[in-house]
Amino acid sequence: MSAVLVAVLGASLAGCSSTGGKRAEDARAAQAAGGKAAVNTPRWTFAMVTHSGDGDTFWDIVQNGAEQAAAKDNIKFVYGHDKEAQRQSQLVQSYIDQKVDGLIVTLAKPDAMKDVVAKAEKAGIPVITVNSGAEESKAYGALSHIGQDETVAGEAVGEELNKRGKKKALCVLHEQGNVGHEQRCAGTAKTFKGDLQKLYVEGTNMPDVQSSIESKLQADPSIDSVVTLGAPFAPTAVKAKEQAGSKAEIDTFDLNAQVAGGLKDGSLGFAVDQQPYLQGYEAVDLLWLYKYNSDMLGGGKPVLTGPQVITKKDATALQEYTKRGTR
């Protein structure tokens, strides 16, 4: 969206002056590339609060996108996270108390966030939801939701498993109570022609994740695919497979450098990318557009950033982007 706006603006300026318009556009591009604001709007403060635990590379990518958009849009960006829903809600309340100019939140456990989002709306603070909670976003008063439809993403996984001739798959859920994770597995089951089983693990304990998957694969050698719901868990599933002596294919939701490497070397079959950089970048950019010009995308519907099925043929091109933290 921002690229389109810049292109249109550049074209209109060029129409007024064949040299002055281009100089102005080049100056804005140079400022953005150097981490300087490309606009002269007020120094608004936007806060993002997610349900991320510590050390989750997925949320590093979301944050990278948000920070780069903030630099371009002259925004002071602050970030908080907590995997516990009540503490996430408390973080949002703290930013409301600080009278931030805009909020970006996730609704992984929507019931715990409903009241605090309503408080933000009552305080006149615009809210955009990202990543999880598309179904609840509008009802809770958010302006828009940016992310992928988790059920549709799951359906894409089921269809890909069918293409690969898989008959029995294991869907590994690493955060109990996360509605998006349940939707991913449910979507997979909807389109997958084989048998899908769910395995709940404690995502904050990787040794437990590995041993749980390993035990399941040892107990049921007929499992021919393991689907993890986050990129950090894919390498752990590969280790579990090796220890169990299983021939199951390891597939995953989301992308990071390790996953790109696994796709390239064949230890992973495919990944479903929801482009988290876009979620952070577009959320900040859309809040800025709303504050500056009352613009809003989506027409009341979620703005989708995925799913995109990634395979070995895509891995080499994507590795460059994963290393810099944008994919």
Side-chain angles (χ1 to χ4, degrees):
M1 176 183 65
S2 299
V4 172
L5 288 173
V6 169
V8 171
L9 182 58
S12 64
L13 288 170
C16 298
S17 168
S18 61
T19 56
K22 187 174 188 309
R23 281 198 299 268
E25 181 60 27
D26 288 345
R28 280 190 292 273
Q31 285 179 320
K36 297 179 181 179
V39 295
N40 61 357
T41 48
R43 180 76 168 166
W44 292 311
T45 298
F46 294 167
M48 175 183 281
V49 183
T50 74
H51 62 277
S52 170
D54 293 331
D56 191 329
T57 56
F58 177 92
W59 292 104
D60 292 341
I61 300 170
V62 175
Q63 192 175 350
N64 286 343
E67 288 174 345
Q68 291 190 27
K72 174 183 66 68
D73 292 340
N74 192 33
I75 298 300
K76 178 183 177 182
F77 176 76
V78 291
Y79 178 76
H81 66 94
D82 202 296
K83 65 184 182 65
E84 296 297 333
Q86 188 59 40
R87 291 201 289 266
Q88 184 192 0
S89 174
Q90 290 168 355
L91 281 170
V92 174
Q93 181 62 59
S94 72
Y95 289 128
I96 294 173
D97 294 340
Q98 294 173 41
K99 295 181 170 54
V100 297
D101 300 294
L103 273 166
I104 302 162
V105 302
T106 61
L107 302 178
K109 297 173 182 175
D111 289 345
M113 298 293 291
K114 182 177 182 179
D115 290 345
V116 77
V117 172
K119 289 179 181 177
E121 183 184 18
K122 186 177 180 180
I125 301 172
V127 179
I128 287 179
T129 60
V130 297
N131 181 260
S132 52
E135 291 78 9
E136 295 82 9
S137 177
K138 186 175 182 180
Y140 285 11
L143 296 173
S144 184
H145 179 82
I146 299 175
Q148 73 177 3
D149 184 306
E150 301 292 12
T151 300
V152 172
E155 291 172 358
V157 169
E159 291 166 356
E160 186 67 23
L161 292 174
N162 292 335
K163 290 178 184 178
R164 292 165 179 263
K166 303 303 178 184
K167 303 299 181 184
K168 193 169 190 178
L170 185 68
C171 192
V172 183
L173 299 95
H174 61 267
E175 184 182 346
Q176 293 193 40
N178 186 318
V179 293
H181 291 182
E182 295 290 347
Q183 290 166 348
R184 288 179 177 186
C185 288
T188 302
K190 183 178 179 181
T191 56
F192 182 43
K193 295 177 180 179
D195 176 33
L196 182 77
Q197 298 181 3
K198 294 195 290 187
L199 176 66
Y200 291 92
V201 298
E202 180 52 60
T204 57
N205 185 342
M206 278 299 185
D208 176 71
V209 173
Q210 181 175 334
S211 63
S212 296
I213 298 174
E214 184 179 331
S215 296
K216 188 69 176 178
L217 292 176
Q218 287 176 334
D220 189 353
S222 66
I223 294 173
D224 56 14
S225 178
V226 176
V227 179
T228 63
L229 301 187
F233 302 93
T236 301
V238 170
K239 293 178 183 176
K241 163 191 170 177
E242 292 170 350
Q243 290 296 316
S246 170
K247 295 182 180 179
E249 177 180 279
I250 309 299
D251 306 306
T252 191
F253 283 81
D254 302 333
L255 182 70
N256 63 12
Q258 277 188 295
V259 168
L263 293 172
K264 188 174 182 178
D265 66 26
S267 59
L268 298 177
F270 67 90
V272 178
D273 186 24
Q274 61 177 302
Q275 303 184 101
Y277 179 87
L278 275 182
Q279 293 178 14
Y281 189 99
E282 293 300 338
V284 169
D285 219 26
L286 189 51
L287 270 181
W288 175 81
L289 283 165
Y290 179 78
K291 293 283 292 183
Y292 173 63
N293 205 43
S294 291
D295 287 320
M296 188 48 54
L297 286 176
K301 301 293 185 181
V303 179
L304 300 183
T305 63
Q308 180 182 19
V309 176
I310 307 295
T311 62
K312 185 173 184 176
K313 65 181 177 60
D314 308 299
T316 299
L318 288 174
Q319 274 188 312
E320 174 187 349
Y321 307 134
T322 60
K323 288 177 181 177
R324 73 184 187 191
T326 57
R327 286 298 291 267

